[in-house]
């Protein structure tokens, strides 16, 4: 990995971060515009933090952000019934949620995502972490499993998402290789 991991002022670098997310996730301009407002709102939440992976040339190779979970947040209200049905809704309390983690395709499979998620969760006061990922057998889900995340609920449907998601949780600190 040739990128350096460090704190990221996500509000100041939102457009660069969303360009990474668009490349990694295949987002169009309209989706990016919507997500821009969401990211800026999220960064005002108490305890919200972000880290970036910066290349030697000064480009953002990837980013992660998250915050202490709050059952009143939109994401929690969507996933709570799915978690409750599996007996896992207690995971919504005292958890650090990984809101977004994206690595530019040119920098994937180099340890950037692993370094970002372990860095942000190592600084969390909460004893566990939760996140959602598209519910398919993907490299991202493989990474999360290797860090100790396990499925808490599957086939979670978000109103604007065309594909179902899985909610995953892990005790902190995350597993290391």
């Amino acid at each position: 990995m040739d990128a350096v991991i460090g704190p990221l002022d996500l509000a100041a670098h939102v457009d660069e971060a969303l360009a990474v997310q668009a490349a990694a996730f295949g987002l169009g301009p309209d989706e990016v515009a919507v997500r821009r407002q969401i990211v800026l709102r999220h960064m005002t939440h108490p305890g919200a933090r972000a880290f970036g992976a910066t290349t030697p040339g000064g480009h953002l190779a990837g980013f992660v952000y998250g915050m202490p979970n709050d059952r009143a947040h939109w994401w929690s209200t969507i996933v709570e019934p799915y978690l409750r049905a599996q007996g896992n809704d207690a995971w919504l309390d005292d958890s650090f949620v990984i809101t977004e983690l994206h690595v530019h395709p040119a920098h994937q499979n180099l340890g950037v995502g692993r370094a970002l998620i372990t860095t942000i969760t190592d600084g969390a006061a909460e004893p566990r972490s939760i996140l959602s990922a598209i519910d398919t057998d993907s490299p991202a889900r493989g990474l999360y499993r290797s860090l100790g995340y396990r499925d808490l609920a599957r086939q979670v449907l978000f109103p604007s998402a065309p594909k179902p998601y899985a909610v995953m949780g892990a005790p902190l600190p995350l597993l290391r290789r």
Side-chain angles (χ1 to χ4, degrees):
M1 180 178 75
D2 62 348
V4 175
I5 307 298
L8 177 66
D9 180 348
L10 190 52
H13 296 276
V14 66
D15 294 320
E16 190 178 4
L18 287 174
V20 169
Q21 184 174 359
F25 223 56
L27 302 180
D30 292 344
E31 290 173 285
V32 169
V34 169
R35 288 175 186 255
R36 187 177 197 279
Q37 299 310 313
I38 293 168
V39 169
L40 294 173
R41 185 176 69 244
H42 282 162
M43 293 315 295
T44 67
H45 288 290
R49 297 181 294 119
F51 286 86
T54 307
T55 68
H59 298 288
L60 195 64
F63 75 100
V64 64
Y65 81 92
M67 64 197 82
N69 195 54
D70 182 333
R71 281 182 180 255
H73 290 165
W74 176 84
W75 182 84
S76 289
T77 65
I78 299 298
V79 302
E80 191 272 337
Y82 294 92
L83 291 172
R84 186 174 0 96
Q86 299 299 318
N88 288 324
D89 58 309
W91 277 83
L92 292 172
D93 301 317
D94 214 16
S95 288
F96 187 83
V97 63
I98 302 299
T99 309
E100 299 287 351
L101 170 62
H102 298 287
V103 177
H104 191 281
H107 299 277
Q108 291 176 0
N109 302 309
L110 301 173
V112 174
R114 180 179 300 276
L116 285 166
I117 195 169
T118 56
T119 299
I120 197 168
T121 57
D122 281 353
E126 296 75 18
R128 54 193 175 183
S129 172
I130 54 176
L131 56 79
S132 56
I134 294 175
D135 194 358
T136 186
D137 192 18
S138 65
R141 298 247 296 142
L143 168 64
Y144 302 144
R145 283 189 200 100
S146 76
L147 293 165
Y149 285 90
R150 65 176 179 85
D151 291 342
L152 302 174
R154 300 201 51 200
Q155 298 296 300
V156 175
L157 301 174
F158 289 101
S160 59
K163 298 177 183 174
Y165 278 70
V167 176
M168 302 177 79
L172 295 179
L174 295 176
L175 296 177
R176 298 309 202 266
R177 288 182 177 180

